[in-house]
Amino acid sequence: ARIAEAAQAWCEVEMTAHSHPSGTDRVAEVIGRYDCDGAVNIQGDEPLLDPEVIDRVAGGLVDTTMTTAATPISSVEDYRSPNVVKVVVNRHGRALYFSRRTIPYLRDIEGRPEAEQMSAFPFLKHLGIYGFRRDTLLWFVEQPVSPLEHAEKLEQLRALDAGVEVAVLQVDYAGWGVDVPEDIPRVEEMLQE
């Protein structure tokens, strides 16, 4: 209610059921009330998200039914952190897998410094944003949680497990999400700037 009250000053607000297990389920409830082509789910833990990233994810829905975004991993901290989700894509820009572990495993340089490993492969950091065509979103939330989703606690793995192609749009974005309480002061400082 506190967030809704603050947001009403600058946008339309929809309250959803308290029983939803995820933000995607909340977006599906709202989109079910509207006649629209799709929706973009912007995670609340990405308060610095560049509007151009939102536009790219929405625009990608012209060619596919589900989209997301990723940016190159540029810090050893992100490379190591299980709070930073990594994604690998095929040559067509479709997600092969999302993981909290660093993927892929670089067998030939295993054990070498992380900075060297980072320079040997274009590792990608997944950003917490999803675009869905309306029918795909409404179908998605009816699917059971997959074993992969349960293991990694990443709902986009439900889509991959169900055979949905997820287009991963690479963007130049170095924002900072709020993954743990220690991230809050840094993000508040960035917002002040």
Side-chain angles (χ1 to χ4, degrees), residues 32 37 39 41 45 48 78 82 101 112-113 128 155 172 186:
D37 296 329
N41 180 1
D45 60 0
L48 302 173
D78 283 354
R101 291 227 182 221
R112 297 238 177 106
E155 65 184 315
D172 182 22
R186 183 181 293 187

Side-chain angles (χ1 to χ4, degrees), residues 106-154:
L106 302 180
R107 188 182 79 169
D108 290 344
I109 61 172
E110 183 267 330
R112 297 238 177 106
E114 290 164 322
E116 184 178 338
Q117 293 179 40
M118 288 174 60
S119 66
F121 187 85
F123 292 97
L124 294 173
K125 171 183 176 177
H126 177 243
L127 303 175
I129 181 171
Y130 301 97
F132 291 94
R133 285 193 189 164
R134 185 179 194 276
D135 57 342
T136 300
L137 175 58
L138 296 176
W139 172 85
F140 175 83
V141 297
E142 295 299 321
Q143 301 309 301
V145 171
S146 76
L148 293 172
E149 176 184 3
H150 186 268
E152 296 249 20
K153 303 297 185 245
L154 299 172

Side-chain angles (χ1 to χ4, degrees), residues 38-108:
V40 175
N41 180 1
I42 303 166
Q43 305 290 321
D45 60 0
E46 288 281 347
L48 302 173
L49 191 62
D50 186 331
E52 288 183 21
V53 174
I54 300 167
D55 291 344
R56 289 276 316 277
V57 168
L61 292 173
V62 169
D63 300 320
T64 191
T65 63
M66 185 175 172
T67 57
T68 191
T71 193
I73 292 178
S74 59
S75 75
V76 171
E77 293 78 17
D78 283 354
Y79 180 81
R80 286 183 192 147
S81 177
N83 294 316
V84 173
V85 176
K86 289 77 173 175
V87 59
V88 288
V89 298
N90 67 19
R91 64 180 171 210
H92 305 291
R94 300 306 192 243
L96 292 171
Y97 194 70
F98 297 87
S99 183
R100 294 181 179 283
R101 291 227 182 221
T102 302
I103 52 175
Y105 172 74
L106 302 180
R107 188 182 79 169
D108 290 344

